[in-house]
Amino acid sequence: MKVFRRVWAACVMVCAGASMAAAQQGSQMAEFLKAHYEKHEYRIPMRDGVKLYTQVYTPIAGEFEDKGPYPFLMTRTPYSCGNYDNDVVQPRVTGNMTMLKSGYILVCQDVRGRWESEGNWVEMTPPVYDAKTGHGIDESTDMSDSVDWLLKHISGNNGSVGIMGISYPGFYTAASIIDGNPAIKAASPQAPMINLFDGDDSYHGGAFMLAANHSFYAPFYRPQKNPLKVEPPNDFKFFTKDAYQYYLQMGTLAHLDSPAGGTNPLYHDQTIHDTYDAYWVARNMELHMTGVKAAVMFVGGWFDAEDLAGPVKGFHAVAKLSPDAAADTLVEGPWVHGGWARGTGASLGDIRFGSETSVFYQQNIEAPFFAHYLKDAAWTPLPKAYTFETGTDVWKKYDAWPPKQAATKTIYFQPNGGLSWTAPTESASKDSYVSDPAHPVPYVGYVSEADPPQRYMDDDQRFAATRPDVLVYETAPLTEDVTIVGPIKPRLKIASTGTDSDFDIKLIDVYPNDFEYPNEGADQGKHVTAAPPVMMGGYEMLVRGEPFRAKFRNSLAKPEPLVPGKITAVDYSMQDINHTFRKGHRIMVQVASSWFPLTDRNPQVFMDIAKAKPEDFHKATETVFHQADAASGIELMVMPAK
């Protein structure tokens, strides 16, 4: 949700960044759209009389190989369709040129209560429509009313509708197909917000995703007085570009949730609902994906810093609640938030993936999916799960997710920083560190702005491994490839001198010391006069990281304090992966109690952190056990050796 709003317009017009070649591609796309599509603007009435602003781009007769009639391809957005009351042809629906060239009636709609649409906007609209009684108005009914109007008033359509969207528009895609209009034949929720409190934008493991949320709401996303074409200026500014220093100096969530922090009612709601309460339950789409009739393709990125959980959770929710959906497919690639819709997907940060994964997806997965279900085009059906395996850098097809052939195994922490598949046998063995909220562990090893850099999701972790408040456990060099799929599940035995603490786990791929990419860097040693080259030998690639707040160990709804000094089980589930640790690499796990300012600081006192004062923050000694009667480790799903 938080990053994609700034790049969507750019990805439509300039899909590969700011290079000369990308600019040329954007110019060519603009010329193509102007020559092939005609723009129309409408205000479509809903059943309660509210009118939703809608742009419709119809194919110009004779310009396409497909002579029609055409299906609708729609997106619904809170971020503005843009270009109001002018003839600019810029449909913010898709940047997939294969699809644009094949011919669709493209539709962009400002959702209820945002920009040029009437009505009141509600954060992640709770589904309330009752299909049995016909009562209730939500995103499903607004979509259904829009579909009925489009089918009736836009000529040249073939009666089929598809909907797609990334991030918040991904949520609207998912919400629009609940008890959906039967004309909706295909839907692709991409990086959708499915459960904001459990793994998507707002909270992970009960910890507030501080930097991403504050940098989204304070300077950018605020309540509107709509209809609205141009948003009033917002004079909020960060007093430094160093996010670590900014949030440390701001101190508390309460200070950020004040005029000094640029707060607004939307940000306020995020901070005060710090347990899985009725506010979040009503918005948990895992509980509501009923009556889905369309073919659904959930799309996500393994390195999505915002809505990593949404695609997998949505995929499983449809399977459980709408087993009669025409299709339910999961696609995961090596992408950041929305990365499949812009750029080539060939790399992220320092890590290379060996091919243009975004191009492959657009041409071989996304375009055929919509062409088949909306145009009845012949195709090779997609597998249940189509995922990119990082490490080996190949696409995989599975008939279930996680794959049925994966076996559950636990890799255990050992004395002296060891990590192995054998449970520890020592009668007494542990590691301890002091967690100090005044000196939290940073989430990157360089200065970054408030909006988290997307590359942190696979960044080098060597900077953190040297800190005294970070525990490191590592295998010997692997003698064969080890492929991990599905969720990562820490199984910790801990004790704390505090009554609450965070336990942040990182699963890391350690490259061999002699590893290097071709042409890694010509300048070495004393000849380095510009930015230092990245040395890939010994690189500690973050594969998956996740925080967890110990007070939520038994329930996200009912937190419980730790008993100081008592050995306590902290078990939780991290987001899914599909990664191969190659022969010669090492598997590493890092344990810490802060990840700042990615997440908010824990006072290490059991309390309502949104109300914490500076004097409430205290040091705590954290202990992780690795002994026979208190073994700590990570439960993994391991694929059979090849």
Side-chain angles (χ1 to χ4, degrees):
M1 179 172 84
K2 311 299 191 254
V3 170
F4 194 73
R5 85 277 177 172
R6 294 177 183 167
V7 300
W8 174 238
C11 93
V12 172
M13 298 303 293
V14 185
C15 292
S19 68
M20 182 69 71
Q24 291 174 348
Q25 287 180 349
S27 177
Q28 292 169 0
M29 179 183 286
E31 292 176 3
F32 173 85
L33 292 170
K34 188 173 182 179
H36 289 76
Y37 287 92
E38 185 176 0
K39 178 182 178 182
H40 312 269
E41 297 177 87
Y42 303 100
R43 285 167 173 78
I44 299 178
M46 301 294 103
R47 61 191 64 186
D48 62 348
V50 167
K51 295 180 180 179
L52 303 188
Y53 174 85
T54 308
Q55 291 178 0
V56 178
Y57 296 84
T58 54
I60 296 174
E63 294 296 331
F64 293 87
E65 182 177 339
D66 179 355
K67 303 305 179 184
Y70 301 102
F72 292 98
L73 184 62
M74 186 171 182
T75 196
R76 307 184 63 237
T77 180
Y79 298 137
S80 174
C81 291
N83 295 308
Y84 302 109
D85 302 328
N86 63 40
D87 60 358
V88 175
V89 180
Q90 188 184 3
R92 297 182 179 180
V93 180
T94 180
N96 187 330
M97 281 302 296
T98 301
M99 295 174 64
L100 291 171
K101 289 180 178 179
S102 70
Y104 289 88
I105 302 174
L106 304 170
V107 181
C108 181
Q109 184 175 80
D110 288 344
V111 297
R112 180 183 289 254
R114 293 294 292 180
W115 296 95
E116 273 293 273
S117 285
E118 299 173 354
N120 297 317
W121 187 80
V122 177
E123 183 90 71
M124 202 175 173
T125 318
V128 296
Y129 174 68
D130 187 328
K132 294 181 180 179
T133 65
H135 296 158
I137 294 174
D138 57 16
E139 301 307 331
S140 177
T141 61
D142 281 356
M143 176 64 178
S144 186
D145 292 349
S146 298
V147 166
D148 287 343
W149 190 95
L150 291 167
L151 292 172
K152 181 178 179 180
H153 293 89
I154 305 301
S155 62
N157 76 78
N158 71 357
S160 294
V161 178
I163 182 170
M164 64 186 298
I166 301 174
S167 192
Y168 225 138
F171 156 74
Y172 286 107
T173 299
S176 292
I177 59 176
I178 297 171
D179 295 311
N181 190 303
I184 305 172
K185 304 300 183 184
S188 185
Q190 301 180 1
M193 300 146 54
I194 295 295
N195 188 338
L196 280 177
F197 192 80
D198 187 15
D200 284 327
D201 291 281
S202 300
Y203 287 82
H204 285 221
F208 182 51
M209 302 302 285
L210 174 62
N213 280 276
H214 180 259
S215 68
F216 176 72
Y217 287 104
F220 173 73
Y221 201 80
R222 310 176 72 82
Q224 293 182 333
K225 295 181 179 179
N226 60 299
L228 182 71
K229 292 183 175 69
V230 178
E231 198 161 39
N234 177 5
D235 59 4
F236 172 81
K237 289 191 177 8
F238 294 95
F239 57 72
T240 174
K241 288 190 175 183
D242 185 337
Y244 187 94
Q245 291 301 324
Y246 173 81
Y247 288 110
L248 203 57
Q249 290 182 45
M250 288 298 292
T252 65
L253 290 182
H255 193 199
L256 287 167
D257 189 18
S258 74
T263 193
N264 65 64
L266 304 180
Y267 177 72
H268 176 72
D269 283 349
Q270 302 293 307
T271 61
I272 64 168
H273 294 287
D274 58 357
T275 64
Y276 184 56
D277 59 15
Y279 179 89
W280 299 118
V281 172
R283 290 162 171 79
N284 182 0
M285 300 299 287
E286 291 180 274
L287 308 177
H288 296 290
M289 296 305 298
T290 58
V292 177
K293 309 173 188 69
V296 188
M297 182 176 71
F298 287 93
V299 181
W302 290 135
F303 304 111
D304 186 335
E306 286 93 330
D307 296 302
L308 180 60
V312 174
K313 287 180 178 289
F315 166 76
H316 289 308
V318 169
K320 178 180 179 180
L321 301 178
S322 293
D324 296 328
D328 180 26
T329 298
L330 175 67
V331 179
E332 292 277 358
W335 304 309
V336 297
H337 194 58
W340 52 91
R342 63 185 190 277
T344 65
S347 64
L348 173 60
D350 303 319
I351 304 300
R352 305 175 188 177
F353 303 124
S355 64
E356 295 185 337
T357 62
S358 300
V359 176
F360 176 87
Y361 161 77
Q362 291 180 25
Q363 295 178 353
N364 297 284
I365 300 176
E366 184 177 67
F369 170 80
F370 281 108
H372 175 71
Y373 287 106
L374 299 183
K375 295 188 172 191
D376 201 27
W379 77 327
T380 300
L382 294 175
K384 195 70 174 173
Y386 206 154
T387 66
F388 187 85
E389 184 177 280
T390 51
T392 54
D393 298 335
V394 294
W395 285 96
K396 294 287 188 176
K397 298 179 180 180
Y398 299 112
D399 58 7
W401 185 262
K404 296 176 182 177
Q405 57 268 47
T408 300
K409 298 177 66 176
T410 299
I411 195 165
Y412 292 94
F413 303 171
Q414 305 289 342
N416 303 312
L419 188 67
S420 78
W421 300 105
T422 304
T425 58
E426 287 75 12
S427 60
S429 185
K430 62 187 180 182
D431 292 308
S432 297
Y433 58 93
V434 175
S435 172
D436 184 357
H439 302 282
V441 179
Y443 75 100
V444 291
Y446 45 85
V447 174
S448 67
E449 296 185 75
D451 203 349
Q454 293 178 316
R455 62 166 290 162
Y456 91 81
M457 291 291 288
D458 71 354
D459 250 345
D460 191 357
Q461 299 302 303
R462 284 178 282 196
F463 77 95
T466 62
R467 287 184 58 113
D469 50 358
V470 176
L471 301 182
V472 179
Y473 302 95
E474 186 178 29
T475 66
L478 300 175
T479 57
E480 63 180 5
D481 288 359
V482 176
T483 299
I484 309 299
V485 296
I488 310 303
K489 297 182 178 180
R491 299 290 182 255
L492 307 179
K493 296 295 189 297
I494 63 92
S496 177
T497 59
T499 51
D500 187 25
S501 287
D502 289 1
F503 289 90
D504 305 323
I505 298 294
K506 299 176 186 175
L507 181 65
I508 294 164
D509 186 339
V510 182
Y511 285 41
N513 287 329
D514 61 356
F515 181 91
E516 61 180 34
Y517 284 129
N519 305 315
E520 187 172 293
D523 292 334
Q524 301 283 334
K526 69 179 183 180
H527 299 292
V528 176
T529 58
V534 176
M535 304 297 186
M536 294 302 298
Y539 196 94
E540 297 178 6
M541 172 191 172
L542 180 62
V543 177
R544 183 63 72 237
E546 190 76 353
F548 191 80
R549 195 144 282 172
K551 67 182 179 181
F552 293 110
R553 63 195 179 278
N554 295 320
S555 169
L556 290 175
K558 297 180 180 179
E560 303 172 35
L562 292 170
V563 177
K566 180 181 179 180
I567 297 178
T568 303
V570 173
D571 300 339
Y572 66 101
S573 185
M574 298 164 61
Q575 319 296 353
D576 293 34
I577 65 170
N578 186 358
H579 182 79
T580 294
F581 295 84
R582 303 305 301 269
K583 178 180 178 180
H585 290 224
R586 298 171 185 256
I587 302 173
M588 176 186 284
V589 174
Q590 291 184 4
V591 183
S593 290
S594 51
W595 207 11
F596 189 75
L598 191 68
T599 64
D600 64 324
R601 295 178 303 148
N602 192 327
Q604 301 177 147
V605 175
F606 182 75
M607 65 177 304
D608 183 347
I609 298 177
K611 298 177 181 177
K613 299 176 181 179
E615 58 268 26
D616 293 323
F617 291 78
H618 298 279
K619 294 180 183 179
T621 298
E622 317 296 0
T623 301
V624 176
F625 295 87
H626 35 72
Q627 58 197 41
D629 63 350
S632 296
I634 310 294
E635 185 180 294
L636 303 169
M637 299 185 70
V638 183
M639 293 293 284
K642 299 174 183 176

